[in-house]
CSV table of all heavy atoms in Angstrom, one decimal:
chain,number,residue,atom,x,y,z
A,655,ARG,N,8.8,-25.9,9.3
A,655,ARG,CA,7.4,-25.7,9.8
A,655,ARG,C,6.6,-26.9,9.9
A,655,ARG,O,5.4,-26.8,10.2
A,655,ARG,CB,6.8,-24.6,8.9
A,655,ARG,CG,7.5,-23.3,8.9
A,655,ARG,CD,7.0,-22.4,7.8
A,655,ARG,NE,7.8,-21.2,7.6
A,655,ARG,CZ,7.4,-20.0,8.1
A,655,ARG,NH1,6.3,-19.9,8.9
A,655,ARG,NH2,8.2,-18.9,8.0
A,672,PRO,N,-8.5,-42.2,-0.8
A,672,PRO,CA,-7.0,-42.1,-0.6
A,672,PRO,C,-6.4,-41.0,-1.5
A,672,PRO,O,-5.4,-40.4,-1.0
A,672,PRO,CB,-6.6,-43.5,-1.1
A,672,PRO,CG,-7.8,-44.4,-0.9
A,672,PRO,CD,-8.9,-43.5,-1.2
A,719,HIS,N,-1.1,-34.4,-9.9
A,719,HIS,CA,-1.6,-33.1,-9.4
A,719,HIS,C,-0.5,-32.1,-9.3
A,719,HIS,O,0.5,-32.4,-8.6
A,719,HIS,CB,-2.3,-33.3,-8.1
A,719,HIS,CG,-3.7,-33.9,-8.1
A,719,HIS,ND1,-4.8,-33.2,-8.5
A,719,HIS,CD2,-4.1,-35.2,-7.9
A,719,HIS,CE1,-5.8,-34.1,-8.5
A,719,HIS,NE2,-5.4,-35.3,-8.1
A,750,ASP,N,11.1,-35.6,-29.9
A,750,ASP,CA,12.4,-34.9,-30.0
A,750,ASP,C,12.2,-33.4,-29.7
A,750,ASP,O,13.1,-32.8,-29.2
A,750,ASP,CB,13.0,-35.1,-31.4
A,750,ASP,CG,13.4,-36.5,-31.7
A,750,ASP,OD1,13.8,-37.2,-30.7
A,750,ASP,OD2,13.2,-37.0,-32.8
A,773,PRO,N,-2.1,-26.2,-15.9
A,773,PRO,CA,-1.1,-26.7,-15.1
A,773,PRO,C,0.2,-25.9,-15.3
A,773,PRO,O,0.4,-25.3,-16.4
A,773,PRO,CB,-0.9,-28.1,-15.6
A,773,PRO,CG,-2.2,-28.5,-16.3
A,773,PRO,CD,-2.7,-27.1,-16.9
A,853,HIS,N,15.7,-24.8,-7.5
A,853,HIS,CA,16.1,-26.0,-6.7
A,853,HIS,C,14.9,-27.0,-6.7
A,853,HIS,O,13.7,-26.5,-6.5
A,853,HIS,CB,16.4,-25.5,-5.3
A,853,HIS,CG,16.7,-26.6,-4.3
A,853,HIS,ND1,16.2,-26.6,-3.0
A,853,HIS,CD2,17.4,-27.8,-4.4
A,853,HIS,CE1,16.6,-27.7,-2.4
A,853,HIS,NE2,17.3,-28.4,-3.2
A,859,SER,N,7.4,-39.3,0.4
A,859,SER,CA,6.4,-38.6,1.2
A,859,SER,C,6.6,-37.1,1.1
A,859,SER,O,7.7,-36.6,0.7
A,859,SER,CB,6.6,-39.1,2.7
A,859,SER,OG,7.8,-38.5,3.2
A,865,ASP,N,11.5,-31.7,4.0
A,865,ASP,CA,12.7,-31.7,4.9
A,865,ASP,C,14.0,-31.4,4.1
A,865,ASP,O,14.9,-30.7,4.5
A,865,ASP,CB,12.9,-33.0,5.6
A,865,ASP,CG,11.9,-33.1,6.8
A,865,ASP,OD1,11.2,-32.1,7.2
A,865,ASP,OD2,11.7,-34.3,7.3
A,893,ARG,N,9.3,-5.7,4.0
A,893,ARG,CA,8.4,-4.7,3.7
A,893,ARG,C,8.5,-3.5,4.7
A,893,ARG,O,7.5,-3.0,5.1
A,893,ARG,CB,6.9,-5.3,3.7
A,893,ARG,CG,6.7,-6.3,2.5
A,893,ARG,CD,5.3,-6.8,2.5
A,893,ARG,NE,5.2,-7.8,1.4
A,893,ARG,CZ,4.2,-8.6,1.1
A,893,ARG,NH1,3.1,-8.5,1.9
A,893,ARG,NH2,4.2,-9.4,0.1
A,956,VAL,N,18.4,-10.3,-13.6
A,956,VAL,CA,17.5,-10.8,-12.5
A,956,VAL,C,18.0,-12.0,-11.9
A,956,VAL,O,18.8,-12.8,-12.4
A,956,VAL,CB,16.1,-11.0,-13.1
A,956,VAL,CG1,15.5,-9.7,-13.6
A,956,VAL,CG2,16.1,-12.0,-14.2
A,1007,GLY,N,14.0,-12.6,-35.3
A,1007,GLY,CA,13.3,-12.6,-36.6
A,1007,GLY,C,11.9,-12.0,-36.5
A,1007,GLY,O,11.0,-12.3,-37.3
A,1050,VAL,N,20.2,-11.4,-2.9
A,1050,VAL,CA,20.8,-12.3,-3.8
A,1050,VAL,C,22.1,-11.6,-4.3
A,1050,VAL,O,23.2,-12.3,-4.4
A,1050,VAL,CB,19.9,-12.7,-4.9
A,1050,VAL,CG1,20.6,-13.5,-6.0
A,1050,VAL,CG2,18.7,-13.5,-4.4
A,1052,SER,N,23.8,-9.1,-3.1
A,1052,SER,CA,24.8,-8.9,-2.0
A,1052,SER,C,25.5,-10.2,-1.6
A,1052,SER,O,26.8,-10.2,-1.5
A,1052,SER,CB,24.1,-8.3,-0.7
A,1052,SER,OG,23.5,-7.1,-1.0
A,1130,VAL,N,-9.2,-1.2,11.5
A,1130,VAL,CA,-10.2,-2.3,11.1
A,1130,VAL,C,-10.8,-2.0,9.8
A,1130,VAL,O,-10.9,-3.0,9.0
A,1130,VAL,CB,-11.3,-2.3,12.2
A,1130,VAL,CG1,-12.4,-3.2,11.8
A,1130,VAL,CG2,-10.7,-2.8,13.5
A,1132,ALA,N,-9.5,-0.4,7.2
A,1132,ALA,CA,-8.5,-0.7,6.2
A,1132,ALA,C,-8.3,-2.2,6.0
A,1132,ALA,O,-8.2,-2.7,4.8
A,1132,ALA,CB,-7.2,0.0,6.5
A,1138,ASN,N,-3.8,-3.9,0.0
A,1138,ASN,CA,-3.5,-2.7,-0.8
A,1138,ASN,C,-4.2,-1.5,-0.3
A,1138,ASN,O,-4.5,-0.5,-1.0
A,1138,ASN,CB,-3.9,-3.0,-2.2
A,1138,ASN,CG,-3.1,-4.0,-2.9
A,1138,ASN,OD1,-1.9,-4.2,-2.5
A,1138,ASN,ND2,-3.6,-4.7,-3.9
A,1141,ALA,N,-3.9,2.5,6.1
A,1141,ALA,CA,-4.6,3.2,7.2
A,1141,ALA,C,-3.7,4.4,7.6
A,1141,ALA,O,-2.6,4.2,8.1
A,1141,ALA,CB,-4.8,2.3,8.4
A,1182,LEU,N,-28.1,30.8,17.1
A,1182,LEU,CA,-27.9,32.0,18.0
A,1182,LEU,C,-27.6,31.6,19.4
A,1182,LEU,O,-27.1,32.4,20.2
A,1182,LEU,CB,-29.1,32.9,17.9
A,1182,LEU,CG,-29.4,33.5,16.6
A,1182,LEU,CD1,-30.7,34.4,16.6
A,1182,LEU,CD2,-28.2,34.3,16.0
A,1184,LEU,N,-25.5,29.0,20.0
A,1184,LEU,CA,-24.2,28.3,20.0
A,1184,LEU,C,-23.1,29.2,20.4
A,1184,LEU,O,-23.0,30.4,20.0
A,1184,LEU,CB,-23.8,27.7,18.6
A,1184,LEU,CG,-24.6,26.5,18.2
A,1184,LEU,CD1,-24.2,26.2,16.7
A,1184,LEU,CD2,-24.3,25.3,19.1
A,1243,ALA,N,-22.0,25.0,3.3
A,1243,ALA,CA,-22.3,25.9,2.2
A,1243,ALA,C,-20.9,26.5,1.7
A,1243,ALA,O,-20.8,26.7,0.5
A,1243,ALA,CB,-23.2,27.0,2.7
A,1262,ARG,N,-9.9,18.0,-11.9
A,1262,ARG,CA,-11.3,18.1,-11.9
A,1262,ARG,C,-11.8,18.1,-10.4
A,1262,ARG,O,-11.3,17.4,-9.6
A,1262,ARG,CB,-12.0,16.9,-12.6
A,1262,ARG,CG,-11.7,16.9,-14.1
A,1262,ARG,CD,-12.5,16.0,-14.9
A,1262,ARG,NE,-12.1,14.6,-14.7
A,1262,ARG,CZ,-12.9,13.7,-14.1
A,1262,ARG,NH1,-14.0,14.0,-13.6
A,1262,ARG,NH2,-12.5,12.4,-13.9
A,1265,GLY,N,-18.5,17.3,-6.4
A,1265,GLY,CA,-19.0,17.0,-5.1
A,1265,GLY,C,-20.3,16.2,-5.1
A,1265,GLY,O,-20.9,16.0,-6.2
A,1272,ARG,N,-27.6,6.5,6.9
A,1272,ARG,CA,-27.3,5.9,8.2
A,1272,ARG,C,-25.8,6.0,8.4
A,1272,ARG,O,-25.0,5.1,8.2
A,1272,ARG,CB,-27.7,4.5,8.2
A,1272,ARG,CG,-29.3,4.3,8.2
A,1272,ARG,CD,-29.6,2.8,8.2
A,1272,ARG,NE,-31.0,2.6,8.0
A,1272,ARG,CZ,-32.0,2.5,8.9
A,1272,ARG,NH1,-31.6,2.7,10.2
A,1272,ARG,NH2,-33.2,2.3,8.6
A,1288,ARG,N,-42.4,12.7,14.0
A,1288,ARG,CA,-43.2,12.9,12.8
A,1288,ARG,C,-44.4,11.9,12.7
A,1288,ARG,O,-45.1,12.0,11.7
A,1288,ARG,CB,-42.3,12.8,11.5
A,1288,ARG,CG,-41.2,13.8,11.5
A,1288,ARG,CD,-40.5,13.8,10.2
A,1288,ARG,NE,-39.4,14.8,10.3
A,1288,ARG,CZ,-38.7,15.2,9.2
A,1288,ARG,NH1,-39.0,14.8,8.0
A,1288,ARG,NH2,-37.7,16.1,9.3
A,1317,LEU,N,-18.7,10.1,-10.7
A,1317,LEU,CA,-18.0,11.4,-11.0
A,1317,LEU,C,-16.6,11.3,-11.3
A,1317,LEU,O,-16.1,11.9,-12.2
A,1317,LEU,CB,-18.2,12.3,-9.7
A,1317,LEU,CG,-19.5,13.0,-9.5
A,1317,LEU,CD1,-19.6,13.6,-8.1
A,1317,LEU,CD2,-19.8,14.0,-10.5
A,1321,GLU,N,-14.9,12.1,-17.3
A,1321,GLU,CA,-13.7,12.7,-17.7
A,1321,GLU,C,-13.9,14.2,-18.1
A,1321,GLU,O,-12.9,14.9,-18.1
A,1321,GLU,CB,-13.0,11.9,-18.8
A,1321,GLU,CG,-12.6,10.5,-18.4
A,1321,GLU,CD,-11.9,9.8,-19.5
A,1321,GLU,OE1,-11.8,10.3,-20.6
A,1321,GLU,OE2,-11.4,8.6,-19.2
Side-chain angles (χ1 to χ4, degrees):
R655 300 169 187 261
H719 284 280
D750 294 327
H853 174 222
S859 71
D865 285 346
R893 295 182 181 172
V956 294
V1050 171
S1052 299
V1130 170
N1138 293 331
L1182 298 181
L1184 288 176
R1262 296 191 287 113
R1272 291 181 189 267
R1288 298 188 182 193
L1317 282 169
E1321 296 182 356

